[in-house]
Amino acid sequence: ATSVEENALAEMRIYPVPAQSQLFVELASPLLQSAEWLLFDALGRQVKAHRLEAGTQLFEVPLHGLAPGLYHYRMQSGAVRRTGKLVVE
């Protein structure tokens, strides 16, 4: 059985791609519990961290000060984790 939280994270949309000064993360449904969204550079160093409250469905990530390149994100809510890549111009 798939939990509502898994569905919310599975249907995550990140835009614009490529990103410049900010990006938006939109979930399919509001989070049922708090979550954490982390951004890592190509060397695996954490460069951003956002704590999300239950009920969050759309949030903005400012990218000021980040060098152009490939980044990896990880979002975790309880035991549910989603990872992916994004490009900053």
Side-chain angles (χ1 to χ4, degrees):
T2 307
S3 74
V4 174
E5 210 75 348
E6 284 176 299
N7 289 339
L9 270 61
E11 299 297 322
M12 183 187 322
R13 275 192 343 123
I14 295 180
Y15 57 89
V17 177
Q20 292 180 334
S21 62
Q22 65 187 16
L23 64 86
F24 295 91
V25 180
E26 185 176 2
L27 307 175
S29 57
L31 291 170
L32 297 178
Q33 58 186 345
S34 62
E36 189 172 45
W37 195 89
L38 305 171
L39 188 64
F40 302 90
D41 67 13
L43 299 176
R45 296 177 298 209
Q46 182 180 311
V47 295
K48 295 279 179 184
H50 290 272
R51 185 88 176 139
L52 306 170
E53 299 301 321
T56 300
Q57 187 168 2
L58 174 67
F59 62 98
E60 177 184 346
V61 179
L63 300 175
H64 305 291
L66 292 184
L70 180 66
Y71 290 82
H72 301 269
Y73 66 83
R74 182 174 75 217
M75 185 165 179
Q76 184 151 352
S77 180
V80 180
R81 177 184 285 189
R82 170 92 189 270
T83 60
K85 300 175 188 174
L86 61 94
V87 174
V88 175
E89 285 189 334

